[in-house]
Amino acid sequence: MTSRPDVSAVKAALRTQAIETPSWAYGNSGTRFKVFAQPGVPRTPQEKLDDAARVHEHTGVAPTVALHIPWDRVEDYPALAQHAKERGLRLGAINSNVFQDDDYKLGSVCHPDAGVRRKALRHLLECVDIMDATGSRDLKLWFSDGTNYPGQDDIRARQGRLAEALAAVYERLGDDQRMLLEYKFFEPAFYTTDVPDWGTAYAHCLRLGEKARVVVDTGHHAPGTNIEFIVALLLREEKLGGFDFNSRFYADDDLMVGAADPFQLFRIMYEVVRGGGFTSDVAFMLDQCHNIEAKIPAIIRSVMNVQEATAKALLVDREALSAAQASGDVLAANAVLMDAYNTDVRPLLAELREDLGIDPDPVAAYHRSGWAQKITDERVGGTQAGWGA
Amino acid sequence: MTSRPDVSAVKAALRTQAIETPSWAYGNSGTRFKVFAQPGVPRTPQEKLDDAARVHEHTGVAPTVALHIPWDRVEDYPALAQHAKERGLRLGAINSNVFQDDDYKLGSVCHPDAGVRRKALRHLLECVDIMDATGSRDLKLWFSDGTNYPGQDDIRARQGRLAEALAAVYERLGDDQRMLLEYKFFEPAFYTTDVPDWGTAYAHCLRLGEKARVVVDTGHHAPGTNIEFIVALLLREEKLGGFDFNSRFYADDDLMVGAADPFQLFRIMYEVVRGGGFTSDVAFMLDQCHNIEAKIPAIIRSVMNVQEATAKALLVDREALSAAQASGDVLAANAVLMDAYNTDVRPLLAELREDLGIDPDPVAAYHRSGWAQKITDERVGGTQAGWGA
Amino acid sequence: MTSRPDVSAVKAALRTQAIETPSWAYGNSGTRFKVFAQPGVPRTPQEKLDDAARVHEHTGVAPTVALHIPWDRVEDYPALAQHAKERGLRLGAINSNVFQDDDYKLGSVCHPDAGVRRKALRHLLECVDIMDATGSRDLKLWFSDGTNYPGQDDIRARQGRLAEALAAVYERLGDDQRMLLEYKFFEPAFYTTDVPDWGTAYAHCLRLGEKARVVVDTGHHAPGTNIEFIVALLLREEKLGGFDFNSRFYADDDLMVGAADPFQLFRIMYEVVRGGGFTSDVAFMLDQCHNIEAKIPAIIRSVMNVQEATAKALLVDREALSAAQASGDVLAANAVLMDAYNTDVRPLLAELREDLGIDPDPVAAYHRSGWAQKITDERVGGTQAGWGA
Amino acid sequence: MTSRPDVSAVKAALRTQAIETPSWAYGNSGTRFKVFAQPGVPRTPQEKLDDAARVHEHTGVAPTVALHIPWDRVEDYPALAQHAKERGLRLGAINSNVFQDDDYKLGSVCHPDAGVRRKALRHLLECVDIMDATGSRDLKLWFSDGTNYPGQDDIRARQGRLAEALAAVYERLGDDQRMLLEYKFFEPAFYTTDVPDWGTAYAHCLRLGEKARVVVDTGHHAPGTNIEFIVALLLREEKLGGFDFNSRFYADDDLMVGAADPFQLFRIMYEVVRGGGFTSDVAFMLDQCHNIEAKIPAIIRSVMNVQEATAKALLVDREALSAAQASGDVLAANAVLMDAYNTDVRPLLAELREDLGIDPDPVAAYHRSGWAQKITDERVGGTQAGWGA
């Protein structure tokens, strides 16, 4: 145990971590049964940035914000970037949306009708235009495409249409831009999903080239899937583009990160650390749509949960672990990992925050700040942001 | 195989089958990502009944329609019943809704706040009032109550609150009225659901008394759950109140009945037949919310799929099956069941329809009828029915 | 947070905890693909007790050992009890085995043949005789009964046979004896299992009477099942008899307790504490069959994991939790629970062990003790214990 | 519907189908709880071939038999091939076994110890030697490699070791030989499996080259996985090597093909037909280990079930389907597929058998043949074949 990592090295590593928050998590969200609106929810992309700035102010590690087009469409993207900059933020990944127009009932880039496919492709290309304007590195592509019934459409033909659209977008990317392809097990399509698993996303990215990477949304897997295994594989193949973090007990529940299975989050972060993903260009993004709890403190909590899992992963005594693994000592090797997991890293993170000059307790500091009351009072009238706006 | 049931007996049994369609299946529905509106969708409970009448006209076995309160709230229920009667229909089960008011964010009858619980209870009692007015036998209770996070609320205390509300409603039931308690694995609650499985529903119904029964929604189970086993058990315990039929590949996908696993539907219907449920007061209801295909023909298809599964179940050679089971001949017993399943019962059902004086091909007849065009042309303006209205 | 439980009270509670280890976990086990034998594995029930005594010596909280009949059948049970007593142990629950005789290919108490059912019943009654001789309180019943194919046997008839056998055994129980009925989702039966879920076990126990209770094996559920919910319900119904602890990522993996999802184990223990199960007659038993790691230290680790989860559960600030729950503060309530979970309780448990006069690090103490080498050297010849012997 | 395929064309296609049966399915098998031995089970590879010959005789479409090494190791493979030939059979795929030696407790080609890895590799190379001797085209590789606990071994390093072994075997393959890499979700490893999904198998095969293909075992997926989607993808990528057919309700239940979900089997076969897999070099193999029913008739039944699913898939009116798909008519497209599925193809297959000069009812013919009695009488003494021998 003498080889356990030095705490100051762990803190130094944690200082470099950057966790991107998604603009849409600041708006209302819900289930098909009901969207429960919350007071103070932003009405504009600018107000979403204002809220995101609070998360960064209190955590110190959330400097970028992902945008969702068209939900965050504005006339003047440089002005939006400037709005962000004035609040200590930068604009992050651009997320496309080809699932909410009536034309997309049977799909977007995989739709049987070529006209609908062209429309969807135009949107994707517009997203790259926006990236040029915002300086974003990553285009994150998630498709709701799929079918609800056996026979509804031709599985293989849809793959061909998908490949065609992806190639056109890839072609359009700038030298420093990347395409992150997300997969999802099911929902909203209920029989086939056109990119249902990492293998499908990987196969497409491989054909496209180096700028195409797979993004792992932790809520998008079949029951029981070993996500950290996928992470390890994608890092080995140099195809891991990033994460959409959230948590789930059942399906794509979109709960706060680490809320359902903190041990799994730790195992994932361990594979990231072990595979060099923590010091590479892997993007750590949140993608949660918590419905019933207050928006901003829930995002703060998610950021903290990622930090705690990362801290534990960094604390793993990798020398001792390797030795136990090499000798085939199952119990010893497991014990090394569990020793790090069972450590209470909250004091370490409190120290880190004090080093950064911020309050050691971000949630309490947020509550004291009066921001929640302020936005409730001031954001009156207009249309609250949500999935439909 | 000489003991295979007589075809005329099978047809006679099928003639008595009554499948209730749900008013809400005629309206728009969707996922949290998007509701795709359809042309011609009803704007009023009366128009839903008009559509339901088409289903009954073309299938001959869908004489009742379930209502959902408040979606189908009207001033004058006897008039609504009369509207139904004029179209050859009757009003069926009353479905309560205590999940769409803002007050229900943390639950209804299980909510930590007593005021919210009282409000929810009032709604349930109002539903019984409506039953009195409509002459409905069954009150179907589904609660979205639950929690999203560990610790959010006290699991046990919520059970106590649930029991209290159920007892109050039970007390209010008339002599010929029943309470059907539905369970659901998850959604919209993502950590605990207050009635997550048949065991929980059964335990409550047992305490309440004979008028309380469990309703099995075929889409509301954990992956891999053997639903026909539950059906057999509940019939043995005389606690099966009815079915909410639909189908699913993943979660509560709400696809057309029998679309995902027709063999499972057959096995369920076999247990119903074997357990006497087909000739008792078990209610056969559809509860599907198909999103992308035309409403009425999809419901016709579901009704036909229930019929086909029932016909196959009735065709099982139960003498031969019992003999094979008693002798421990695994392959022979399975083969008896599969023989019925593999039979093409569509000719038999076509005959049945001709006996009933209706078109042997309900879907084709519906398409020829011009109804789809008619409602598209005539139902202009107003607000289309959907989950929110 | 000032209402957080006093550490000395927590330690006092932990001191009273008793965790039963299963005799069969000391023997060889494996999968259908291979049983990997280990050196030093016991050859007799007495040697199993010798190993169990090491677990109790190093943990201080494992004073009883469950027996499995016929694997632990001996001529003289009082002598076996005496062997235990001399090592500081007592004999615990008696576990029946009606799944390994060739006659049980199609079931035991649910078998279509009455002769086989009688044979199985005789075995169960013999187990009660053994309880009389050992002074065991609990008869734990797990049935592998079920079917592999649709149609193979009659689901409902099998329930009748099951009820008949259970009633006969219940009748035979002494005043201070209990019957613990275990349920299992699947395996070794692959289509139906005759007691597949808590609801089935509960329904049977309810009919039998107060001495019949449900036992929750943490590995025996459908994917995604909320086990702590079941625990809360059974405690509310006064029908929770005990636990078979183990852990699993996929099916009934039988891994060390807490190895797969330590947060779930904590949530379960919290419901036990909250529901009064910790101070009642709920039996805490291990039932794991770890295949590739050393037997004794893996059991020590499991015992420690139960202790750690219990300590965290006891540390929950229940006043603060109730207050947050009552006010509907989702984030605060969850935070109270997580605060306890995130606490590193190992120092507290080390103190507890020092109070008990044992080494604060049980695994290290075991390794230093030389026992592993001793049994490897001495247990030569004979037939190692395993599932088949 | 006028474009529905011509029955004679369907029969002609079915005539060309060849379904390989596995030698091990003729021996005893079971679960970790119990192996129920059956009378008449083969004791030698030759006797397994004798039984396989009955399956081919009665079905006409099972001309090859897969071998499992070392279970089917013989001195003289050409003599074994001759034994097969004399019975109208050929030897099929060679299946390696690197999971039953004590050395493989922590893995084979992924084991942390280089010595164990070399031993495993030698076995794989020996299998290619055997292929040379038997004239087998396919080497089927399934690895039980994996870990049971987080931390037990390094996920990524194990992938490297796997890649190294696969490369060495690939190098050794002859010009007309192929390597079929099988994936499995879990079991016997319970935390990570080194080839857990099609993506992992695909990634390795892609690097290896054209002779490496993925094999889809229908029982080896996470709950809810859409297997036909994977089939469509692998065919599109020209990486589908073949199938291991069996069925399951829960995990790798190894039941008769088509027993659990005949509709899924049909959908899979439809994708095979649609993707050209039926007329290419895709291998159709059974891999089932049915435990409680008679061996030979259960295999006959599985062969028949594959045939029935294939017949239905061939009957799909692909012109009508394409038209409905192109027009976005969800219900019509689904109806075309269901029309084929709902057809009773047993008369067609009876005709096919009569064309082939065999009994139209293979199971009945087998029972009449007296073979079961003959092997029960004659195969006395010796050691019955099973997974361990």
Side-chain angles (χ1 to χ4, degrees):
Chain A
M1 303 284 175
T2 52
S3 53
R4 191 160 173 174
D6 184 64
V7 168
S8 62
V10 171
K11 282 204 288 185
L14 287 168
R15 243 181 137 126
T16 69
Q17 190 170 34
I19 300 165
E20 183 160 307
T21 71
S23 71
W24 55 96
Y26 298 96
N28 289 320
S29 65
T31 68
R32 60 174 172 152
F33 294 97
K34 171 74 175 171
V35 174
F36 292 101
Q38 297 193 3
V41 152
R43 296 152 307 172
T44 63
Q46 289 79 6
E47 288 182 353
K48 293 179 193 172
L49 291 171
D50 297 346
D51 286 358
R54 310 314 297 175
V55 174
H56 186 43
E57 173 171 327
H58 293 300
T59 63
V61 293
T64 62
V65 182
L67 300 184
H68 193 112
I69 307 299
W71 298 342
D72 296 318
R73 192 176 272 150
V74 293
E75 289 294 309
D76 186 345
Y77 289 99
L80 190 69
Q82 181 60 27
H83 186 96
K85 191 178 178 187
E86 287 163 8
R87 282 147 189 82
L89 299 174
R90 294 189 313 279
L91 301 180
I94 300 300
N95 289 257
S96 62
N97 175 327
V98 283
F99 55 88
Q100 288 194 314
D101 192 284
D102 281 328
D103 282 340
Y104 299 141
K105 186 163 80 167
L106 302 181
S108 63
V109 295
C110 303
H111 196 287
D113 182 82
V116 177
R117 296 202 296 273
R118 278 193 299 271
K119 172 176 173 169
L121 179 57
R122 277 197 304 272
H123 173 76
L124 302 184
L125 296 174
E126 180 205 345
C127 286
V128 187
D129 294 340
I130 292 172
M131 291 167 71
D132 291 342
T134 57
S136 298
R137 179 189 59 175
D138 292 337
L139 174 66
K140 182 139 60 76
L141 300 177
W142 171 68
F143 299 102
S144 74
D145 286 63
T147 64
N148 278 6
Y149 292 99
Q152 178 187 324
D153 200 2
D154 189 273
I155 294 172
R156 182 165 171 160
R158 291 178 75 95
Q159 286 297 310
R161 299 169 200 152
L162 173 64
E164 202 176 306
L166 292 176
V169 177
Y170 190 86
E171 203 56 37
R172 167 69 184 80
L173 291 176
D175 288 346
D176 299 326
Q177 292 175 335
R178 310 189 307 174
M179 170 194 290
L180 304 185
L181 183 56
E182 190 166 337
Y183 58 93
K184 187 175 184 186
F185 184 47
F186 83 101
E187 197 218 13
F190 293 138
Y191 166 56
T192 59
T193 294
D194 291 307
V195 189
D197 55 20
W198 79 265
T200 306
Y202 168 80
H204 282 284
C205 287
L206 207 62
R207 302 225 160 169
L208 291 167
E210 283 199 359
K211 290 186 282 189
R213 300 284 178 93
V214 180
V215 63
V216 174
D217 184 304
T218 49
H220 288 189
H221 301 83
T225 301
N226 187 322
I227 301 174
E228 58 267 30
F229 182 91
I230 295 171
V231 169
L233 244 71
L234 287 172
L235 279 166
R236 183 173 184 271
E237 301 281 342
E238 299 184 344
K239 277 294 179 196
L240 180 65
F243 288 95
D244 266 8
F245 285 119
N246 51 55
S247 76
R248 52 78 76 96
F249 287 95
Y250 301 97
D252 186 28
D253 304 344
D254 269 331
L255 302 180
M256 294 187 296
V257 184
D261 190 347
F263 183 43
Q264 182 191 57
L265 182 62
F266 160 75
R267 298 193 310 264
I268 290 171
M269 290 311 305
Y270 174 72
E271 290 305 326
V272 170
V273 169
R274 184 265 176 256
F278 191 61
T279 51
S280 76
D281 53 5
V282 172
F284 299 96
M285 301 172 283
L286 304 190
D287 181 11
Q288 69 189 60
C289 286
H290 50 291
N291 302 326
I292 59 169
E293 67 273 34
K295 297 292 169 189
I296 299 171
I299 298 170
I300 290 175
R301 182 78 203 211
S302 287
V303 170
M304 292 170 69
N305 286 350
V306 173
Q307 281 188 297
E308 292 177 22
T310 307
K312 291 179 178 192
L314 288 164
L315 281 172
V316 171
D317 182 342
R318 292 179 57 192
E319 280 182 43
L321 184 61
S322 290
Q325 290 173 341
S327 69
D329 189 336
V330 175
L331 288 169
N334 176 247
V336 170
L337 203 77
M338 296 313 292
D339 180 42
Y341 178 67
N342 285 324
T343 302
D344 188 343
V345 295
R346 292 175 298 175
L348 185 155
L349 286 164
E351 277 179 44
L352 175 73
R353 290 182 194 115
E354 285 175 336
D355 294 352
L356 292 170
I358 59 178
D359 194 292
D361 185 340
V363 171
Y366 171 74
H367 285 311
R368 278 197 312 273
S369 74
W371 184 259
Q373 192 57 53
K374 178 181 158 70
I375 57 179
T376 299
D377 294 344
E378 295 182 358
R379 293 177 183 168
V380 174
T383 304
Q384 290 192 321
W387 282 25
Chain B
M1 304 282 174
T2 53
S3 53
R4 189 158 174 174
D6 182 65
V7 168
S8 64
V10 170
K11 281 204 288 185
L14 288 168
R15 244 180 137 127
T16 70
Q17 188 169 37
I19 301 166
E20 183 160 308
T21 72
S23 71
W24 55 97
Y26 298 96
N28 289 318
S29 65
T31 69
R32 60 174 171 152
F33 294 99
K34 171 75 176 173
V35 174
F36 292 101
Q38 297 193 6
V41 153
R43 296 153 306 172
T44 62
Q46 288 78 7
E47 289 182 353
K48 293 177 194 173
L49 290 171
D50 296 345
D51 287 358
R54 310 313 298 174
V55 174
H56 185 44
E57 173 171 329
H58 293 300
T59 63
V61 293
T64 61
V65 182
L67 301 184
H68 193 113
I69 308 299
W71 298 343
D72 296 320
R73 192 177 272 152
V74 292
E75 288 295 309
D76 185 345
Y77 289 99
L80 190 69
Q82 181 59 27
H83 186 98
K85 191 177 176 187
E86 287 163 9
R87 282 149 190 82
L89 299 175
R90 293 190 313 279
L91 301 181
I94 300 299
N95 290 258
S96 62
N97 175 327
V98 282
F99 55 87
Q100 287 193 313
D101 191 283
D102 281 327
D103 281 340
Y104 299 141
K105 187 163 80 166
L106 303 180
S108 64
V109 295
C110 303
H111 196 287
D113 182 82
V116 177
R117 295 201 297 273
R118 278 192 299 270
K119 172 176 173 169
L121 179 57
R122 276 196 304 274
H123 173 76
L124 302 184
L125 296 174
E126 180 204 347
C127 286
V128 187
D129 294 340
I130 293 172
M131 292 167 71
D132 291 341
T134 57
S136 298
R137 180 189 58 177
D138 292 337
L139 173 66
K140 182 138 60 76
L141 300 177
W142 171 69
F143 298 103
S144 73
D145 286 65
T147 64
N148 278 5
Y149 292 99
Q152 178 186 324
D153 200 1
D154 189 90
I155 294 172
R156 182 165 169 161
R158 292 178 75 95
Q159 286 297 309
R161 298 169 199 152
L162 173 63
E164 202 177 305
L166 292 176
V169 177
Y170 190 85
E171 204 58 34
R172 167 69 184 80
L173 291 175
D175 288 346
D176 298 327
Q177 292 175 335
R178 309 190 308 173
M179 170 195 288
L180 304 185
L181 183 55
E182 189 166 336
Y183 58 91
K184 187 176 184 186
F185 184 48
F186 83 101
E187 196 215 18
F190 293 138
Y191 165 55
T192 58
T193 294
D194 290 306
V195 189
D197 54 20
W198 79 266
T200 305
Y202 169 79
H204 282 284
C205 288
L206 207 61
R207 301 224 159 173
L208 290 167
E210 283 199 0
K211 292 186 281 188
R213 300 285 179 91
V214 180
V215 63
V216 174
D217 183 306
T218 50
H220 289 189
H221 301 83
T225 301
N226 186 322
I227 300 174
E228 58 268 30
F229 181 90
I230 295 171
V231 170
L233 245 70
L234 287 172
L235 279 166
R236 184 175 184 269
E237 302 280 342
E238 299 185 343
K239 277 294 180 195
L240 180 65
F243 288 96
D244 267 8
F245 285 120
N246 51 54
S247 78
R248 50 78 76 95
F249 288 95
Y250 302 97
D252 186 28
D253 303 345
D254 269 330
L255 303 179
M256 293 188 296
V257 184
D261 189 347
F263 183 44
Q264 182 191 56
L265 182 62
F266 160 75
R267 298 193 311 263
I268 290 171
M269 290 311 304
Y270 173 71
E271 291 304 327
V272 170
V273 169
R274 185 264 176 257
F278 191 59
T279 51
S280 75
D281 52 4
V282 171
F284 299 97
M285 301 172 283
L286 304 190
D287 180 13
Q288 69 188 59
C289 286
H290 51 289
N291 303 324
I292 59 170
E293 68 273 33
K295 297 291 168 189
I296 298 170
I299 297 170
I300 291 174
R301 182 79 203 210
S302 288
V303 169
M304 293 170 69
N305 286 350
V306 174
Q307 281 189 297
E308 292 178 20
T310 307
K312 292 180 177 191
L314 290 164
L315 282 172
V316 171
D317 183 342
R318 290 179 57 193
E319 279 182 44
L321 183 61
S322 290
Q325 290 173 342
S327 69
D329 190 335
V330 176
L331 289 168
N334 177 248
V336 171
L337 202 78
M338 296 312 293
D339 180 41
Y341 178 67
N342 285 326
T343 302
D344 190 342
V345 295
R346 293 174 298 175
L348 184 155
L349 287 164
E351 277 178 45
L352 175 72
R353 289 181 195 116
E354 286 175 336
D355 293 351
L356 293 170
I358 59 178
D359 194 293
D361 184 340
V363 171
Y366 170 74
H367 285 311
R368 279 197 312 273
S369 74
W371 185 259
Q373 193 56 53
K374 177 180 159 69
I375 57 178
T376 300
D377 294 344
E378 296 181 359
R379 293 177 184 168
V380 175
T383 303
Q384 290 192 321
W387 283 26
Chain C
M1 304 282 174
T2 51
S3 54
R4 189 158 174 175
D6 183 65
V7 167
S8 64
V10 171
K11 282 204 287 185
L14 288 168
R15 244 179 138 129
T16 69
Q17 188 169 35
I19 300 165
E20 183 160 307
T21 71
S23 70
W24 55 95
Y26 299 96
N28 289 318
S29 65
T31 69
R32 62 175 171 150
F33 294 98
K34 171 74 176 173
V35 174
F36 292 102
Q38 297 193 4
V41 153
R43 295 153 305 173
T44 63
Q46 289 78 7
E47 288 182 353
K48 294 178 194 173
L49 291 171
D50 296 345
D51 287 358
R54 311 313 298 175
V55 173
H56 185 42
E57 173 171 329
H58 292 301
T59 63
V61 293
T64 62
V65 182
L67 299 185
H68 193 112
I69 307 300
W71 298 343
D72 296 318
R73 191 176 273 152
V74 292
E75 290 294 309
D76 185 346
Y77 289 99
L80 191 68
Q82 180 61 26
H83 186 97
K85 190 176 179 188
E86 288 163 9
R87 281 148 191 82
L89 300 174
R90 293 189 313 279
L91 301 181
I94 300 300
N95 289 257
S96 63
N97 176 326
V98 282
F99 54 88
Q100 287 194 313
D101 191 284
D102 281 328
D103 280 340
Y104 299 141
K105 187 163 80 166
L106 303 180
S108 63
V109 293
C110 303
H111 196 288
D113 182 83
V116 176
R117 295 202 296 274
R118 279 193 297 271
K119 172 176 173 171
L121 179 57
R122 276 197 304 273
H123 173 75
L124 302 184
L125 296 174
E126 181 204 346
C127 285
V128 187
D129 293 340
I130 293 172
M131 291 167 71
D132 291 341
T134 57
S136 298
R137 179 188 60 176
D138 292 338
L139 174 67
K140 181 138 61 74
L141 300 178
W142 171 69
F143 298 103
S144 73
D145 286 64
T147 64
N148 278 5
Y149 291 99
Q152 177 187 325
D153 200 0
D154 188 89
I155 294 172
R156 182 166 170 160
R158 292 177 76 94
Q159 286 297 308
R161 298 169 200 153
L162 174 63
E164 201 177 306
L166 292 176
V169 176
Y170 190 85
E171 203 57 35
R172 168 67 184 82
L173 290 176
D175 288 345
D176 298 326
Q177 293 176 335
R178 309 191 308 174
M179 171 196 288
L180 304 184
L181 183 57
E182 189 167 337
Y183 59 92
K184 187 176 184 185
F185 185 48
F186 83 101
E187 195 215 18
F190 293 139
Y191 166 55
T192 57
T193 294
D194 290 306
V195 190
D197 53 21
W198 78 266
T200 307
Y202 168 80
H204 282 284
C205 286
L206 208 60
R207 302 223 159 173
L208 290 167
E210 282 199 359
K211 291 186 282 187
R213 301 283 179 92
V214 179
V215 63
V216 174
D217 184 305
T218 50
H220 289 187
H221 301 83
T225 301
N226 186 323
I227 300 173
E228 58 268 29
F229 182 91
I230 296 171
V231 169
L233 245 70
L234 287 173
L235 279 166
R236 183 174 184 271
E237 302 280 341
E238 300 186 342
K239 277 295 180 195
L240 180 65
F243 288 96
D244 266 9
F245 285 119
N246 51 55
S247 77
R248 51 76 75 92
F249 287 95
Y250 302 96
D252 186 29
D253 303 345
D254 269 331
L255 302 179
M256 293 188 296
V257 184
D261 190 347
F263 183 44
Q264 183 191 56
L265 182 61
F266 160 74
R267 298 192 311 263
I268 290 171
M269 290 310 305
Y270 173 72
E271 291 304 327
V272 170
V273 168
R274 186 264 176 257
F278 191 59
T279 50
S280 75
D281 53 4
V282 172
F284 300 97
M285 301 171 283
L286 305 189
D287 181 12
Q288 68 188 59
C289 286
H290 50 289
N291 303 325
I292 60 170
E293 68 273 32
K295 297 291 169 188
I296 298 170
I299 297 171
I300 291 175
R301 182 79 202 210
S302 288
V303 170
M304 293 170 69
N305 286 349
V306 174
Q307 281 189 296
E308 291 178 21
T310 307
K312 291 180 178 192
L314 289 164
L315 281 172
V316 171
D317 182 342
R318 290 179 57 193
E319 279 182 44
L321 183 62
S322 289
Q325 289 173 342
S327 68
D329 189 336
V330 175
L331 288 169
N334 177 247
V336 171
L337 203 78
M338 297 312 293
D339 179 42
Y341 178 67
N342 285 325
T343 302
D344 189 343
V345 295
R346 293 175 297 175
L348 185 154
L349 287 164
E351 276 178 46
L352 175 73
R353 288 180 196 116
E354 285 175 337
D355 293 352
L356 293 170
I358 59 178
D359 194 294
D361 185 341
V363 171
Y366 170 74
H367 285 312
R368 278 197 313 273
S369 74
W371 184 259
Q373 193 56 52
K374 178 180 158 70
I375 57 179
T376 300
D377 294 345
E378 295 181 359
R379 293 177 183 169
V380 176
T383 303
Q384 289 192 322
W387 283 24
Chain D
M1 302 284 174
T2 52
S3 53
R4 190 159 174 173
D6 184 65
V7 167
S8 64
V10 170
K11 282 204 288 185
L14 287 167
R15 244 181 138 125
T16 69
Q17 189 170 34
I19 300 165
E20 183 160 309
T21 70
S23 70
W24 54 97
Y26 298 96
N28 289 318
S29 64
T31 69
R32 60 174 171 151
F33 294 96
K34 171 75 176 172
V35 174
F36 292 101
Q38 297 193 5
V41 152
R43 296 152 306 171
T44 63
Q46 288 79 5
E47 288 182 353
K48 293 177 194 174
L49 291 171
D50 296 345
D51 287 357
R54 310 314 298 175
V55 174
H56 186 44
E57 173 171 328
H58 293 299
T59 64
V61 293
T64 62
V65 182
L67 301 184
H68 193 111
I69 307 299
W71 298 342
D72 295 319
R73 192 175 272 150
V74 292
E75 288 294 308
D76 185 345
Y77 289 99
L80 190 69
Q82 182 60 27
H83 185 97
K85 191 177 178 186
E86 288 163 8
R87 283 148 189 82
L89 300 174
R90 295 188 313 279
L91 301 181
I94 300 299
N95 289 257
S96 63
N97 176 326
V98 282
F99 55 87
Q100 287 195 314
D101 192 284
D102 282 327
D103 281 341
Y104 299 141
K105 186 163 80 166
L106 303 180
S108 63
V109 294
C110 302
H111 196 287
D113 182 82
V116 177
R117 296 201 297 274
R118 278 193 298 272
K119 172 175 173 170
L121 179 57
R122 277 196 304 273
H123 173 76
L124 302 183
L125 296 174
E126 180 204 346
C127 286
V128 187
D129 294 341
I130 292 171
M131 291 166 71
D132 291 342
T134 57
S136 299
R137 179 189 60 175
D138 292 337
L139 174 66
K140 181 139 60 75
L141 299 177
W142 171 68
F143 298 103
S144 73
D145 286 63
T147 64
N148 278 6
Y149 292 100
Q152 178 187 325
D153 200 1
D154 189 272
I155 294 172
R156 181 165 172 161
R158 292 178 75 95
Q159 286 297 309
R161 298 169 200 152
L162 173 64
E164 201 177 307
L166 292 176
V169 176
Y170 190 86
E171 203 57 36
R172 168 68 183 81
L173 291 175
D175 288 345
D176 299 326
Q177 292 174 336
R178 311 191 305 174
M179 170 194 291
L180 304 185
L181 183 56
E182 189 167 339
Y183 58 92
K184 187 175 184 187
F185 184 47
F186 84 101
E187 196 218 15
F190 293 138
Y191 166 55
T192 59
T193 294
D194 290 307
V195 189
D197 54 21
W198 78 266
T200 306
Y202 169 78
H204 282 285
C205 287
L206 208 61
R207 301 224 159 169
L208 290 167
E210 283 198 0
K211 290 185 282 188
R213 300 285 178 94
V214 180
V215 64
V216 174
D217 183 305
T218 49
H220 288 188
H221 301 83
T225 300
N226 186 322
I227 299 174
E228 58 268 30
F229 182 91
I230 295 171
V231 169
L233 245 71
L234 286 172
L235 280 166
R236 183 173 184 270
E237 301 281 342
E238 299 185 344
K239 276 295 180 195
L240 181 64
F243 287 94
D244 265 9
F245 285 119
N246 51 56
S247 77
R248 51 77 76 95
F249 287 95
Y250 301 96
D252 186 28
D253 303 344
D254 269 330
L255 303 179
M256 293 188 296
V257 184
D261 190 348
F263 183 43
Q264 182 190 56
L265 182 63
F266 160 74
R267 299 193 311 263
I268 290 171
M269 289 312 305
Y270 174 71
E271 291 304 326
V272 169
V273 169
R274 185 265 175 256
F278 192 61
T279 52
S280 75
D281 52 5
V282 172
F284 299 96
M285 301 172 283
L286 304 189
D287 180 12
Q288 69 189 59
C289 286
H290 49 292
N291 302 325
I292 59 169
E293 69 273 33
K295 298 292 168 188
I296 297 171
I299 297 171
I300 290 174
R301 181 80 202 210
S302 288
V303 169
M304 292 170 69
N305 285 351
V306 173
Q307 280 188 297
E308 291 178 20
T310 306
K312 292 180 178 192
L314 289 164
L315 281 172
V316 171
D317 183 342
R318 291 179 56 192
E319 279 183 44
L321 183 62
S322 290
Q325 290 174 341
S327 68
D329 189 336
V330 175
L331 288 169
N334 176 247
V336 171
L337 203 76
M338 296 313 293
D339 180 42
Y341 178 66
N342 286 325
T343 303
D344 189 342
V345 295
R346 292 174 299 174
L348 186 154
L349 287 164
E351 277 179 44
L352 175 73
R353 288 182 196 115
E354 284 174 338
D355 293 352
L356 292 169
I358 59 179
D359 194 292
D361 184 341
V363 171
Y366 171 73
H367 285 311
R368 278 197 312 273
S369 74
W371 185 258
Q373 192 56 53
K374 177 180 157 71
I375 57 178
T376 299
D377 294 344
E378 296 181 359
R379 292 177 184 169
V380 176
T383 304
Q384 289 192 321
W387 282 26

